[in-house]
Amino acid sequence: MNPFYYGQIVKDENFCRRPELVDNLGGNIKRGQNVYIQGERRTGKSSLIFETIRKLKKIRLIYVDLLEVKSSDDFLKRVVMAVVSMEKSARFFEQIFQKLAHIRPIASVDPLTGLPTLTIDAAVELKPDSIPGVLDLVSSYHSKAKPLVVVFDEFQDVLNLKDARQTLALLRSKVQFQSDIAYVFAGSIRNKMDSIFNDPDSAFFKAAIPIQVGSLKNETFQKFIIGKFETGKRRIKPETLDSIFDICFQIPGDIQQLCGALWDTTSSGKGISEEQLPSALELIFSHELKGYETILNVISRQQLKLLTALARMGGKAPMSSEFLKNSGITQASSVRRALGRLVDLRIIFYYENEYRFINPFFRAWLLNKKL
Ligand SMILES: Nc1ncnc2c1ncn2[C@@H]1O[C@H](COP(=O)(O)OP(=O)(O)OP(=O)(O)O)[C@@H](O)[C@H]1O
Ligand SMILES: [Mg+2]
């Protein structure tokens, strides 16, 4: 079976150790210190949170995924459902049913598990002023014997709410008084997380300490991957691993995706070298082609010119005369405009003084197609 996992949280033997981060996050959680976790997409933020909490044992987790949260009603219902799914016992269920009476919960039985479950009447629209009540409910599950950690993942999406400011202010005013409870806020869109935690005008200014999640240590992650290939009697050459890491800009999720494709396009007992990379990439391209074509449909010729130039030359100095000469774009101002548009479209992003592709395989495809 293919041992490479991507696009999902990885645990146990599929989690490559990152002890410094686990210790750092774990220590803060134990002290009830609020933290915010920042890192690019697919670097392993969510996996780190779950792994850390698994190691802490005894801790109770309320995990709220805010990806594409639409309204404060949606926000609150997600928090309530996260509380509901914390425990499955009948006693807990009865208790929570009473505590939530004011928002008209509906009791039912989960057809899959046969366990009691609870939903909230869609006709009841929760407003931000329910936030204090819902956070009181959350804190009622905290005790010394079983401390609570509350995780808001993809927290930056709160900014999409119409009443984002009010939501953040109410949230903050509750969180700051629940000083024993560790709140963990994770997010991947740097400028948005920055505007929540580092902007003096934001309610969350300095409300939590930052933890950065970057790439895994190369050596440790390479050993981990070699070990996974060995489970299928495949031996991968070190320089091929280096190429994989380069193609993927060291992003753990993308590295696992490419290794997974290599696994699928090779067989047991075979060595893996550079020669096997093109067919693995082709496999990924075939899965992702629709997405690439959608991008080509929404960008202009000029933007495509810029993208292919970025693919070829990297994004360190797209305004330099050399870059302009090679890209065939005459004006630096056109490059600036096109960069802005491509960032807005979430095709590229700016990180550590460089424009990068959000999806490294799209870059590889552009290079391959020589568009
Ligand atoms: N510690 C790890 N060991 C092995 N693979 C990892 C590790 N962390 C992340 N990955 C790889 O990255 C993928 C994404 O992990 P995860 O969902 O935890 O990242 P994330 O930063 O939360 O991503 P997103 O920004 O999309 O929410 C995993 O499916 C796995 O392929
Ligand atoms: Mg995540």
Side-chain angles (χ1 to χ4, degrees), residues 5-10 14-18 39-48 153-154 188 216 221 224 252-254 256-257:
Y5 295 88
Y6 62 94
Q8 55 184 289
I9 286 162
V10 283
N14 294 317
F15 181 88
C16 172
R17 281 165 39 86
R18 33 189 4 175
E40 304 313 316
R41 289 241 86 113
R42 310 178 299 280
T43 47
K45 302 172 295 296
S46 304
S47 302
L48 171 74
D153 208 348
E154 304 293 351
S188 49
L216 284 145
F221 198 30
F224 171 91
D254 298 328
Q256 289 238 35
Q257 186 178 354

Side-chain angles (χ1 to χ4, degrees), residues 161-191:
L161 305 187
K162 209 164 56 224
D163 32 27
R165 271 187 89 86
Q166 191 190 2
T167 302
L168 283 170
L170 286 166
L171 203 56
R172 165 82 170 115
S173 63
K174 267 293 171 195
V175 164
Q176 69 178 341
F177 288 110
Q178 298 179 351
S179 54
D180 299 346
I181 303 178
Y183 279 86
V184 176
F185 306 93
S188 49
I189 304 182
R190 187 169 294 271
N191 56 354

Side-chain angles (χ1 to χ4, degrees), residues 12-284:
D12 305 323
E13 77 277 7
N14 294 317
F15 181 88
C16 172
R17 281 165 39 86
R18 33 189 4 175
E20 295 87 7
L21 278 174
V22 170
D23 288 351
N24 183 359
L25 178 59
N28 281 305
I29 290 176
K30 272 197 269 184
R31 284 186 287 121
Q33 169 68 53
N34 300 338
V35 297
Y36 76 95
I37 297 184
Q38 216 180 38
E40 304 313 316
R41 289 241 86 113
R42 310 178 299 280
T43 47
K45 302 172 295 296
S46 304
S47 302
L48 171 74
I49 295 171
F50 278 94
E51 181 66 12
T52 304
I53 289 164
R54 187 182 69 87
K55 284 226 157 114
L56 288 175
K57 303 196 173 91
K58 279 202 186 146
I59 282 219
R60 288 179 117 167
L61 166 67
I62 294 183
Y63 177 81
V64 190
D65 189 346
L66 295 176
L67 186 69
E68 297 192 8
V69 63
K70 297 277 181 300
S71 59
S72 42
D73 175 64
D74 184 11
F75 171 84
L76 280 160
K77 284 178 180 159
R78 290 189 198 203
V79 180
V80 170
M81 292 318 291
V83 178
V84 170
S85 58
M86 181 170 58
E87 233 179 89
K88 295 277 175 250
S89 76
R91 201 174 65 87
F92 173 79
F93 181 74
E94 253 167 52
Q95 204 189 47
I96 199 163
F97 197 79
Q98 281 166 11
K99 285 186 181 174
L100 289 173
H102 61 293
I103 54 171
R104 290 201 259 145
I106 302 166
S108 55
V109 173
D110 186 324
L112 289 178
T113 60
L115 292 166
T117 185
L118 181 151
T119 46
I120 302 165
D121 190 343
V124 178
E125 196 189 328
L126 299 175
K127 296 261 160 42
D129 57 11
S130 295
I131 288 176
V134 169
L135 286 199
D136 284 339
L137 169 78
V138 166
S139 70
S140 69
Y141 292 102
H142 177 74
S143 71
K144 270 226 160 66
K146 262 199 169 177
L148 192 66
V149 53
V150 185
V151 176
F152 287 107
D153 208 348
E154 304 293 351
F155 188 59
Q156 76 277 332
D157 282 2
V158 168
L159 294 177
N160 301 341
L161 305 187
K162 209 164 56 224
D163 32 27
R165 271 187 89 86
Q166 191 190 2
T167 302
L168 283 170
L170 286 166
L171 203 56
R172 165 82 170 115
S173 63
K174 267 293 171 195
V175 164
Q176 69 178 341
F177 288 110
Q178 298 179 351
S179 54
D180 299 346
I181 303 178
Y183 279 86
V184 176
F185 306 93
S188 49
I189 304 182
R190 187 169 294 271
N191 56 354
K192 290 193 173 174
M193 288 295 276
D194 276 345
S195 77
I196 297 176
F197 292 97
N198 295 325
D199 180 344
D201 286 337
S202 163
F204 270 84
F205 181 54
K206 293 195 179 178
I209 61 164
I211 292 183
Q212 301 291 337
V213 177
S215 308
L216 284 145
K217 277 209 182 99
N218 265 8
E219 206 193 324
T220 321
F221 198 30
Q222 292 204 353
K223 269 198 193 133
F224 171 91
I225 287 172
I226 290 170
K228 294 283 177 202
F229 274 120
E230 277 171 357
T231 64
K233 301 201 171 44
R234 288 157 169 86
R235 193 171 283 266
I236 182 158
K237 289 199 165 149
E239 60 271 24
T240 312
L241 260 185
D242 288 338
S243 302
I244 293 172
F245 275 53
D246 287 346
I247 293 171
C248 298
F249 290 104
Q250 334 290 328
I251 303 167
D254 298 328
I255 293 170
Q256 289 238 35
Q257 186 178 354
L258 184 47
C259 290
L262 264 170
W263 176 284
D264 284 339
T265 48
T266 53
S267 42
S268 175
K270 291 272 155 60
I272 299 178
S273 63
E274 301 277 320
E275 281 162 42
Q276 274 74 40
L277 281 178
S279 39
L281 282 169
E282 279 300 335
L283 180 65
I284 295 181

